[in-house]
Amino acid sequence: MADYDFDVLVIGAGPGGYVAAIRAAQLGLKTACAESRETLGGTCLNVGCIPSKAMLHASELFEEAASGKLAKLGIKGSVTLDLETMHAQRRDAVKGLTGGIEYLFKKNKVEWLKGRAAFTGTDTVDVGGKTYRAKNIVIATGSSVTPLPGITVDNEQQIIVDSTGALELAKVPGHMVVIGGGVIGLELGSVWKRLGAKVTVVEYLDMILPGMDGEIRKESLKVFKKQGIEFKLSTKVIGATVNGSKAELTVEPSAGGDAETIEADVVLVSIGRRPNTDGLALDKAGLAVNGRGQVEIDHDFSTSVPGIWAIGDVVPGPMLAHKAEDEGIAVAENIAGLTGIVNHDIIPSVVYTMPEIAGVGLTEEQAKERLEKTGGSIKVGKFPMMANSRAKTNHEGDGMVKVIADAKTDRILGVWIIASLGGTMIAQAAQAMEFGGTSEDIAYTCHAHPTHSEALKEAAMAVQGKPIHI
Ligand code: FAD
Ligand code: NAI
């Protein structure tokens, strides 16, 4: 250790990097974390998971009151929107949580190296003009917005924005056009729809939410349409210009055809995210990125250069905070000589709209394809939220739960949920799958009544064709 400054130097303090740094320090390793942002917590805490959920929560309450839904419960009176206060509570949540990470760094003796890091060798990194040598270096630099060629994002101007700009809009747009019917488009589109904007989602594919179960995608589209969000599917944006305070978008069918123009007050570009490696001088460490700009890793998160590891959005796999966090723990444990493992087959994903859309494991399409290859087959059990007593009582009847199991072994292969509490309910499914559970295991587990989770039990019972309440 004599000529090393640190046992572990983590680059990036997002959910991957800060968790890796804390766990490494907990394991007795001398640890530093380089972060160029003013605050710790990465995309997730500063401009991602947390601020978007703060706006989703507040806008949901506003919409319930303003649309008269609360009046139906006997809660009457008019409400007005104080957008500045709504933004202030969002900033407050971010401040509290990013400050919390700073506290955790101090508590665990993780040194925060403030500034941009760049490799100068296989075990050396420059941060703010000073070079540090570390036995192990973890790349956890995350991702940023994928640009759309020909469209210039200007978050200050608040006309063509990315997700960071869409969190900060100073007024509710008359018409917001969202480019991309993925997770960000639907979450942030929902926020501004609830606050009063007309929202049109332009999606290149013929369906929203790529990667999710086909039936769940179709059902979600129905739910969003019912909420008043408009969709232009199989449509691509070929240009956007700003004229005064408006944007004019030119769109045409994805398969080619006549172009049309759409006028918008705000355009949200949300067509995906790409790994952050610019300026990192990976070549100085002897590393290169793959065709998708990602740092390739082995199952233990090691790169091709001994002592350099990578985790989170910068490596292949879903770009999710909890995946990055689990990889952060695992990589630190591997560095410390323990066995850190992440089961990448069981990573839940949640879209935090109302209702929430959640899934874990295989889609029905994937499960069918996989089992058919070996002569097997699947069984599917479904249960509508409308038949769940708690959801119905709470006027949250939209949605369903779907359990996909191996017909022969009954082992659960995937669970998909559209429900107001889907993001919370999916944890039970993930745990059952992690334990190698069967649909029968869930069906015969006693679930508290009345809870939304009983819908998962009923869907599991439906796998054997014997649900009680439908
Ligand atoms: P990041 O969080 O991106 O952190 C990387 C950090 O590294 C950044 O702070 C960056 O400044 C720093 N950095 C980069 N390069 C350098 C360098 N050279 N030197 C020093 N520092 C550097 N995921 C969920 O699971 N749930 C959600 O609800 C959710 N909501 C989201 C909402 C939005 C609007 C967005 C944009 C994303 C959301 N995500 C969500 C995705 C989630 O934010 C990411 O998957 C997660 O933050 C990835 O963590 P990470 O540690 O890999 O990288
Ligand atoms: P996304 O990959 O979820 O969706 C992008 C959508 O844009 C896709 O449907 C794609 O077909 C479409 N698209 C691509 N190019 C297009 C074009 N030219 N015109 C029209 N549509 C086009 O990406 P998104 O929403 O930007 O989010 C990025 C990532 O951030 C997500 O994949 C997810 O990993 C993470 N995230 C996670 C959240 C969560 O867990 N709740 C919330 C927000 C983001």
Side-chain angles (χ1 to χ4, degrees), residues 11-17 34-37 39 41-44 46-50 52-53 115-118 140-143 163 167 184 187-188 273 276 278-280 311-314 319-322 324 350 352:
I11 307 176
E35 172 57 60
S36 53
R37 246 180 240 275
T39 46
T43 303
C44 176
N46 287 283
V47 291
C49 326
I50 295 304
S52 59
K53 267 78 250 178
R116 278 200 84 71
T141 47
S143 65
S163 56
L167 286 166
I184 292 181
E187 286 189 356
L188 295 181
R273 294 178 64 80
N276 286 333
D278 282 356
L280 202 51
I311 54 167
D313 281 9
V314 79
M319 289 181 164
L320 295 171
H322 41 282
V350 181
Y352 295 87

